[in-house]
Amino acid sequence: MDLVPALQEPLKKVLGPATAKVMAEHLGLHTVGDLLHHYPRRYEERGQLTHLADLPMDEHVTVVAQVADARLHTFASSKAPRGKGQRLEVTITDGSGRLQLVFFGNGVHKPHKELLPGTRAMFAGKVSVFNRRLQLAHPAYELLRGDTEGEETVESWAGALIPLYPATAKLESWKLAKAIQTVLPSAQEAVDPLPDSLREGRGLVSLPEALLKIHRPHTKADIEDARARLKWDEAFVLQVALARRRHAETQLPAVPRKPGPDGLLTAFDDRLPFTLTDGQQRVSREIFDDLATDHPMHRLLQGEVGSGKTLVALRAMLAVVDSGGQAVMLAPTEVLAQQHHRSVVEMMGELAEGGMLGGAEHATKVVLLTGSMGAAARRHALLDLATGEAGIVIGTHVLIEDKVQFHDLGLVVVDEQHRFGVEQRDALRGKGKQPPHLLVMTATPIPRTVAMTVFGDLETSVLDQLPAGRSPIASHVVPAADKPHFLARAWERVREEVSNGHQAYVVCPRIGDEDDDPKKGAKKKAAQGEPPEGDAEKRPPLAVLDVAEQLAKGPLQGLKVEVLHGRMQPDDKDAVMRRFAAGETDVLVATTVIEVGVNVPNATAMVIMDADRFGVSQLHQLRGRVGRGSAPGLCLLVSEMPEASAARQRLNAVASTRDGFELSRIDLEQRREGDVLGQAQSGARTSLRVLAVIEDEEIIAEARQEAAAVVAADPELTGLPGLRTALEALLDDEREQYLEKG
């Protein structure tokens, strides 16, 4: 079939090499099709003016406004000592607010002639503040003339509605609009990816019509029609890609893994000192049902921090060992791999001593494999894997290396999925004689739609109960700049917890050694509650090494304070964690290396410095490190951001709810979804332009159903050439991203 040559035409042929180069470098647009899919961010009505009142700082904006006033000033400067320097100040207004434009030097002549009071124009530039007022310095502008003069300008901005495009300093919105007008006739040749029955059944306009309406709408209804249609495209094509992936997985053979009646799993369950929660039992049943089938399990296990995911995963691993296979757990960091290894060995007791004196009858060997192991220990571990002596293997991404061979790999458990790409999952799966079963665990609660979009190739299980004996965590915001005495009180609270026999974490955003210090030698006094020089935004984030030193000499003098961060040697890290876990250290000052998997039930307090520098979900993760025993937990979020700032609103949200799913929703609404999607699965980020994962939950759910039906009926999509083309374009993006990440 002919692959839509008009839409694949390179932009340099159509728009010329100079413009095409800027589009490719700054906006990632290479073909006519790319440009047609570069949609307006919003629209201005020619009869109305925009909101100057709420312009974002430091962002490149396009506004439509009227000149209220223009004044030319002369001044003396080093370049023009005789007072010949010229500055043009133009005030524009839109009814909601005023904005100052400034032009200097030789750049004043043209705007001085053209920007007369009463003139209307589009202005583009970066918003900055000068003398406490918002301004645009040297903005680019395009005059909007009356209907009699410049008919063509009016026409090119689609009559009543002016599309404003995501633009860059090198390419203003109206230049993009003109380029799009040039290629718009090609939209007629766009091949529709949606099956006719689906489109007609849902009353959606055709793709050529949608492209025309989004770029040249005559009414707001046009924009609605176009967006509704284009959202469906994005949701449906992405869901078809995921449905095909799921379908391909079901075609793969796998060895069914059923636990024996009186094997390792039974022995393990018998020695558990507590009963499983209903949630753990339900999720375990779902997993065991999957493991018993003859095609590979692909399951995502989501659970709040401390909901007992590791226990559920361990039971799945034991079931596989029972059936004669091996199970591997992949952790994102060495600290976490060591931690998992320790806790698995503790939970299993003599069942983890296979082949050793004193090992139980059904015992197996639990082996750790990380990059920093000595050569001899590593050789030994690799041998245990290859011979099958080790039933359970826990390690970091070194497990993916070529020289790692398994005897019979039956199950792969991936911890904290967002640290691993799909390609790494696949590499590890390739280690089995037949594809092993896959269980992905995450402690970051993921709203249902994100799970459907990002992890759409996995079935989902959710653990939403906390095990008995877990204590509630109280969280409070500590406004260090407004109320320094609150910070002093925070350190008193830490001392109180320690005097009651407990321990505390202090978390900082930065390490503070030479390598990552933006201002070497700049001593931070914030730990003592002294205001930093400049505001909280300007100074570098607080650092572990500085804060630990200040606390040990100041508010926490006399307590045993230690530091932990990612650049320490693995043995040193392990030693620090062991001392903390054993209760020998009172306060651990650390970076986010403690975010996942560190389990010290005696730690009851956490103080997070510069909390506004962390994401909502990350704060929730960190907070989950305290209150893991029977004593209640306390989390203090220290920030110097002003009360009204968005950062403080975020912190208030974290302090006010303990529901991780609610917080992840807030997190998503506040960040661009691309951040979240891009973290988890390459390809998803680039493909979503109009689809909003949170708002468009219904479309995504319906698209998933439709996609599953289409793929079940025609897995190769032979009857849907347009959909195949769209899919190839999406997967090309994805492959490209793999290479970039490589």
Side-chain angles (χ1 to χ4, degrees):
M1 166 189 149
D2 191 4
L3 275 187
V4 205
L7 267 64
Q8 295 202 326
E9 187 86 45
L11 287 174
K12 89 170 155 246
K13 274 192 170 170
V14 190
L15 303 173
T19 307
K21 186 168 186 252
V22 176
M23 285 191 178
E25 283 177 7
H26 294 275
L27 296 167
L29 308 174
H30 303 277
T31 64
V32 167
D34 291 345
L35 184 55
L36 287 173
H37 287 296
H38 187 73
Y39 309 132
R41 180 179 281 159
R42 57 195 178 86
Y43 301 84
E44 289 301 351
E45 293 181 59
R46 300 204 69 229
Q48 292 181 350
L49 294 165
T50 49
H51 281 283
L52 293 181
D54 40 6
L55 286 179
M57 276 297 297
D58 283 338
E59 269 192 37
H60 207 84
V61 297
T62 303
V63 296
V64 177
Q66 190 160 349
V67 176
D69 177 46
R71 295 177 188 199
L72 191 62
H73 302 273
T74 53
F75 60 91
S77 70
S78 55
K79 286 184 183 165
R82 292 205 187 85
K84 295 276 173 61
Q86 290 191 308
R87 181 174 78 247
L88 176 65
E89 288 179 5
V90 178
T91 306
I92 57 173
T93 178
D94 65 352
S96 79
R98 295 167 86 81
L99 180 66
Q100 183 130 24
L101 315 177
V102 288
F103 301 87
F104 291 101
N106 296 335
V108 304
H109 305 307
K110 186 166 175 271
H112 190 218
K113 281 209 296 274
E114 294 183 333
L115 297 178
L116 304 171
T119 309
R120 297 183 64 245
M122 295 170 80
F123 301 93
K126 198 170 181 186
V127 183
S128 57
V129 169
F130 182 71
N131 276 345
R132 301 195 163 218
R133 286 164 69 192
L134 291 182
Q135 70 165 26
L136 296 181
H138 279 286
Y141 63 88
E142 181 92 353
L143 302 179
L144 294 177
R145 298 182 170 86
D147 286 357
T148 49
E149 191 192 341
E151 285 284 337
E152 177 242 359
T153 313
V154 178
E155 184 47 40
S156 74
W157 276 307
L161 292 161
I162 302 171
L164 296 184
Y165 290 90
T168 72
K170 298 256 190 263
L171 203 63
E172 291 90 7
S173 171
W174 53 85
K175 288 186 184 161
L176 273 162
K178 284 178 177 167
I180 286 166
Q181 294 305 329
T182 308
V183 301
L184 206 49
S186 307
Q188 293 307 327
E189 297 187 45
V191 175
D192 207 318
L194 294 190
D196 293 346
S197 56
L198 188 159
R199 203 180 74 233
E200 286 153 16
R202 296 185 179 275
L204 299 168
V205 300
S206 70
L207 181 56
E209 191 182 335
L211 290 171
L212 210 61
K213 282 183 165 175
I214 200 147
H215 292 299
R216 287 184 86 158
H218 291 292
T219 61
K220 288 186 174 168
D222 283 354
I223 300 170
E224 287 310 302
D225 286 352
R227 288 179 68 84
R229 161 62 217 244
L230 295 166
K231 281 181 178 193
W232 254 96
D233 271 22
E234 289 182 6
F236 181 70
V237 174
L238 185 60
Q239 290 301 338
V240 167
L242 295 166
R244 287 189 72 188
R245 200 180 159 93
R246 285 198 303 277
H247 181 267
E249 308 289 9
T250 62
Q251 304 308 301
L252 294 171
V255 180
R257 307 282 178 177
K258 294 181 178 152
D262 286 315
L264 188 54
L265 180 61
T266 311
F268 175 75
D269 284 349
D270 290 345
R271 67 187 302 277
L272 279 178
F274 49 81
T275 51
L276 299 177
T277 64
D278 294 347
Q280 285 173 321
Q281 289 177 0
R282 184 192 73 247
V283 170
S284 287
R285 273 197 303 277
E286 292 170 354
I287 291 172
F288 290 152
D289 288 349
D290 282 1
L291 288 174
T293 60
D294 55 8
H295 58 80
M297 162 171 83
H298 283 100
R299 194 164 277 283
L300 172 69
L301 172 55
Q302 309 191 42
E304 282 280 18
V305 173
S307 57
K309 289 184 304 299
T310 313
L311 178 62
V312 169
L314 177 55
R315 293 184 74 237
M317 292 164 87
L318 296 173
V320 169
V321 175
D322 256 354
S323 70
Q326 289 169 291
V328 55
M329 183 186 269
L330 191 59
T333 63
E334 293 216 351
V335 169
L336 197 49
Q338 289 160 344
Q339 174 90 30
H340 277 317
H341 182 254
R342 255 201 311 276
S343 62
V344 164
V345 169
E346 274 166 26
M347 281 197 267
M348 287 176 64
E350 71 274 13
L351 296 174
E353 294 169 1
M356 293 152 74
L357 279 173
E361 161 194 8
H362 300 293
T364 185
K365 206 169 193 179
V366 181
V367 167
L368 176 69
L369 186 66
T370 63
S372 63
M373 284 168 74
R378 191 179 172 122
R379 255 200 321 276
H380 208 91
L382 289 173
L383 190 64
D384 285 341
L385 266 61
T387 59
E389 185 84 7
I392 293 181
V393 185
I394 296 170
T396 53
H397 49 83
V398 293
L399 286 167
I400 299 172
E401 290 172 8
D402 290 345
K403 51 181 170 292
V404 179
Q405 299 297 326
F406 293 90
H407 176 63
D408 177 16
L409 182 57
L411 170 67
V412 174
V413 179
V414 179
D415 188 19
E416 283 309 309
Q417 159 64 19
H418 61 268
R419 316 272 176 111
F420 292 103
V422 178
E423 62 272 41
Q424 287 155 310
R425 261 163 43 186
D426 289 349
L428 192 54
R429 288 221 319 260
K431 301 259 181 208
K433 293 190 177 65
Q434 281 193 322
H437 299 279
L438 175 72
L439 180 66
V440 171
M441 299 197 295
T442 176
T444 310
I446 303 164
R448 176 169 155 258
T449 39
V450 180
M452 283 193 292
T453 312
V454 178
F455 301 106
D457 56 334
L458 304 170
E459 300 300 324
T460 307
S461 296
V462 179
L463 274 177
D464 44 15
Q465 282 172 293
L466 284 186
R470 274 302 163 90
S471 305
I473 303 168
S475 303
H476 303 284
V477 177
V478 177
D482 319 346
K483 300 181 176 160
H485 58 286
F486 276 39
L487 183 57
R489 175 72 189 120
W491 301 128
E492 282 171 26
R493 283 291 290 114
V494 169
R495 293 193 84 99
E496 285 163 19
E497 289 299 310
V498 172
S499 63
N500 290 334
H502 297 302
Q503 293 158 280
Y505 297 99
V506 176
V507 181
C508 303
R510 213 161 48 83
I511 298 173
D513 54 11
E514 297 280 296
D515 294 348
D516 83 332
D517 198 340
K519 297 215 175 103
K520 292 181 189 170
K523 280 288 178 200
K524 312 297 171 296
K525 303 194 174 88
Q528 277 106 348
E530 294 180 32
E533 296 126 53
D535 59 32
E537 279 288 77
K538 296 286 191 304
R539 67 164 171 75
L542 292 174
V544 166
L545 301 178
D546 300 337
V547 169
E549 188 186 338
Q550 288 153 13
L551 291 176
K553 289 178 180 166
L556 302 185
Q557 199 169 5
L559 301 187
K560 181 95 172 67
V561 177
E562 286 210 65
V563 300
L564 179 70
H565 58 75
R567 280 213 199 100
M568 290 164 62
Q569 289 302 315
D571 291 353
D572 297 344
K573 274 193 259 194
D574 208 36
V576 169
M577 271 321 301
R578 275 177 195 282
R579 286 196 292 275
F580 191 63
E584 295 164 26
T585 308
D586 299 322
V587 178
L588 188 61
V589 183
T591 55
T592 53
V593 290
I594 62 155
E595 178 186 353
V596 279
V598 175
N599 186 20
V600 180
N602 191 43
T604 53
M606 176 177 285
V607 181
I608 303 179
M609 306 301 291
D610 278 346
D612 47 89
R613 311 260 181 165
F614 300 96
V616 169
S617 294
Q618 195 174 31
L619 291 168
H620 182 61
Q621 283 289 87
L622 286 165
R623 164 170 72 180
R625 299 295 121 212
V626 294
R628 297 176 78 87
S630 50
L634 171 70
C635 178
L636 301 174
L637 307 166
V638 180
S639 171
E640 293 177 0
M641 297 304 282
E643 180 98 40
S645 63
R648 273 286 283 283
Q649 305 304 312
R650 269 205 326 267
L651 296 181
N652 292 340
V654 175
S656 64
T657 176
R658 294 214 301 279
D659 178 346
F661 285 91
E662 178 54 32
L663 286 174
S664 67
R665 250 189 119 86
I666 293 170
D667 203 9
L668 255 185
E669 281 162 5
Q670 292 189 338
R671 291 156 49 179
R672 290 195 326 284
E673 276 133 358
D675 304 345
V676 179
L677 299 175
Q679 265 185 353
Q681 187 146 348
S682 51
R685 172 189 222 150
T686 46
S687 58
L688 300 191
R689 294 185 179 91
V690 283
L691 194 70
V693 174
I694 288 289
E695 291 159 32
D696 298 322
E697 185 161 343
E698 252 170 66
I699 295 179
I700 292 170
E702 288 171 22
R704 183 179 164 106
Q705 279 179 334
E706 294 273 10
V710 165
V711 170
D714 179 5
E716 293 307 309
L717 308 178
T718 37
L720 297 164
L723 178 55
R724 270 219 320 276
T725 304
L727 205 56
E728 280 159 16
L730 172 74
L731 297 174
D732 263 1
D733 275 359
E734 197 163 320
R735 274 200 291 276
E736 228 169 58
Q737 280 207 307
Y738 280 175
L739 296 174
E740 283 167 20
K741 277 167 46 178

